[in-house]
């Protein structure tokens, strides 16, 4: 039967998943995966450009802000992979480290987090100056860039610690380190950076806004559909589905992905093999349950 199916709605690399049993197809649907779309493609390209830029006296930095569930951590991980690909290609490769800021980052815990990411303690910061040991290590490893998640946590400490943390960020992005920083956080992260004139000049701020009715959202839905092992096209970009998804999810990526993946599971369980509006409506209220599997094997 599969020979008669037209699977052009599925990415070539994912087509063979359609042949799996229902239970395995549903597992594949729920696996986390990266789906590209124009907005994140642009941010990934900007991050690559920063990484490959010759070192500067004052490093250029990016802050990517967006509400919880918009896809910041997923994007950070994807950028980390992109930079790893560049590193492997070049003989004189530079390197980067990625870490998430602790929920209440005093300067000590900030230093420890970087030490953990590097695998070596970095020594103490004194009077806003980073230790010589850290400078030497960064130089030896050709460290060029830091990826920092949850930057808004900078503000979760008292005023004095906040000032020390901001001074540390300034020191990291100034000579002799001159590291580029790509940071991610909710709106508070923007306030933190804007509260410091030097950092504000160094950081270019980008927004990951909630999804709206536009080509970018339709492109994301089409690409996402391309990863789902359903036998027939769902055409998630259709107006009524776009309207439903936007109103049911507040335009948050996390919610959109949950609704589509649950909808896809319902499409299999109900034997429809395409996500219609009823599958999406059901997905909002009822997580797909697997009673049908009891007698399957
Ligand atoms: N580009 C993407 N492709 C596929 N799924 C994504 C993408 N971005 C976000 N998601 C989904 O949204 C969920 C929340 O994303 P996350 O990166 O944790 O958001 P944030 O860090 O902004 O809170 C992820 O677990 C993933 O399922
Ligand atoms: Mg996150």
């Amino acid at each position: 039967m599969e020979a008669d199916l037209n699977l052009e709605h599925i990415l070539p690399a994912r087509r063979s998943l359609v042949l799996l049993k229902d239970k395995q197809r549903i597992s594949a649907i729920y696996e986390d995966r990266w789906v590209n779309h124009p907005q994140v493609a642009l941010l990934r390209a900007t991050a690559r450009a920063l990484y490959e830029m010759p070192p500067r006296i004052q490093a250029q930095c990016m802050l990517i802000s967006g509400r919880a569930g918009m896809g910041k951590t997923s994007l950070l991980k994807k950028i980390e992979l992109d930079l790893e690909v560049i590193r492997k290609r070049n003989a004189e490769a530079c390197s980067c480290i990625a870490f998430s800021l602790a929920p209440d980052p005093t300067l000590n815990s900030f230093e420890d987090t970087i030490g953990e990411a590097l695998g070596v303690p970095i020594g103490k910061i004194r009077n806003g100056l980073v230790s010589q040991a850290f400078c030497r290590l960064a130089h030896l490893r050709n460290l060029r860039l830091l990826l920092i998640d949850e930057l808004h946590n900078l503000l979760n400490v008292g005023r004095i610690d906040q000032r020390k943390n901001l001074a540390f960020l300034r020191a990291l992005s100034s000579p002799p380190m001159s590291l580029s920083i790509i940071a991610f956080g909710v709106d508070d992260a923007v306030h933190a950076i804007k509260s410091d004139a030097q950092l504000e000049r160094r950081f270019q701020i980008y927004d990951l806004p909630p999804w709206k009715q536009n080509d970018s959202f339709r492109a994301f839905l089409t690409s996402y559909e391309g990863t789902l092992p359903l036998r027939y096209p769902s055409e998630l970009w259709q107006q009524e589905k776009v309207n439903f998804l936007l109103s049911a999810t507040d335009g948050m990526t996390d919610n959109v992905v949950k609704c589509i993946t649950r909808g896809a599971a319902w499409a299999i369980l109900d034997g429809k093999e395409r996500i219609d509006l009823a599958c999406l409506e059901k997905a909002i209220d009822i997580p797909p349950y697997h009673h049908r599997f009891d007698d399957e094997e």
Side-chain angles (χ1 to χ4, degrees):
M1 179 184 80
E2 279 78 15
D4 301 334
L5 279 176
N6 177 353
L7 297 178
E8 274 174 23
H9 57 288
I10 307 178
L11 291 170
R14 307 265 305 175
R15 278 181 202 160
S16 59
L17 294 176
V18 176
L19 306 179
L20 297 176
K21 287 187 172 159
D22 290 358
K23 197 173 180 175
Q24 292 160 313
R25 281 198 291 155
I26 291 181
S27 299
I29 285 169
Y30 284 134
E31 269 163 24
D32 223 10
R33 60 194 158 280
W34 173 259
V35 172
N36 218 22
H37 56 90
Q39 200 182 5
V40 288
L42 191 73
L43 294 172
R44 287 169 64 192
T46 313
R48 286 197 297 270
L50 275 194
Y51 191 57
E52 295 194 294
M53 213 175 253
R56 293 186 166 220
I57 303 285
Q58 275 195 0
Q60 290 187 37
C61 304
M62 293 167 76
L63 170 62
I64 297 164
S65 84
R67 283 166 53 191
M70 260 326 285
K72 300 179 297 299
T73 302
S74 308
L75 177 59
L76 180 150
K77 294 205 171 116
K78 191 65 187 171
I79 290 176
E80 193 180 8
L81 287 175
D82 287 344
L83 302 187
E84 182 62 15
V85 170
I86 297 178
R87 201 179 69 76
K88 285 193 173 142
R89 246 193 260 133
N90 294 341
E92 291 170 22
C94 35
S95 66
C96 76
I97 53 170
F99 57 91
S100 184
L101 218 54
D104 54 346
T106 59
L107 195 51
N108 277 345
S109 79
F110 201 162
E111 291 159 357
D112 290 348
T113 308
I114 295 190
E116 270 164 38
L118 278 168
V120 187
I122 62 166
K124 293 283 159 230
I125 291 117
R126 300 216 187 279
N127 304 325
L129 294 174
V130 287
S131 72
Q132 291 229 339
F134 183 24
C135 285
R136 269 201 303 276
L137 185 67
H139 187 67
L140 274 173
R141 297 218 186 150
N142 212 354
L143 186 65
R144 289 290 316 285
L145 193 143
L146 302 180
L147 289 161
I148 309 181
D149 204 3
E150 317 281 355
L151 191 81
H152 46 265
N153 285 346
L154 271 183
L155 298 178
N156 288 355
V157 287
R159 281 207 162 267
I160 295 175
D161 282 316
Q162 279 180 34
R163 273 208 294 275
K164 286 184 184 168
N165 285 337
L166 291 170
F168 184 38
L169 278 185
R170 277 203 308 270
L172 291 171
S173 52
S174 313
M177 311 277 303
S178 298
L179 298 173
S180 283
I181 297 170
I182 303 181
F184 299 77
V186 297
D187 279 354
D188 281 352
V190 178
H191 299 145
I193 293 300
K194 286 194 168 167
S195 72
D196 183 292
Q198 277 192 46
L199 288 176
E200 189 180 13
R201 274 200 303 280
R202 246 167 252 181
F203 272 82
Q204 182 126 22
I205 296 172
Y206 300 86
D207 193 21
L208 266 184
W211 292 107
K212 290 198 284 278
Q213 295 251 9
N214 56 25
D215 287 344
S216 197
F217 187 43
R218 282 184 283 271
F220 178 65
L221 295 176
T222 306
S223 302
Y224 211 98
E225 183 177 336
T227 69
L228 301 171
L230 299 177
R231 289 171 207 254
Y232 308 120
S234 301
E235 302 184 334
L236 292 173
W237 43 262
Q238 283 172 351
Q239 193 62 44
E240 56 170 5
K241 290 176 184 153
V242 168
N243 288 346
F244 177 82
L245 282 169
L246 287 176
S247 68
T249 65
D250 280 340
M252 294 293 119
T253 312
D254 196 10
N255 298 340
V256 170
V257 164
K258 274 202 193 96
C259 188
I260 296 175
T261 48
R262 284 178 174 190
W266 275 124
I268 291 176
L269 292 167
D270 288 349
K272 291 177 173 169
E273 293 294 334
R274 62 162 61 88
I275 307 171
D276 60 10
L277 202 56
C279 289
L280 291 178
E281 281 164 356
K282 220 164 154 180
I284 295 293
D285 298 327
I286 326 169
Y289 44 87
H290 291 202
H291 64 267
R292 258 197 48 209
F293 293 136
D294 294 346
D295 53 0
E296 197 182 47
E297 283 173 350

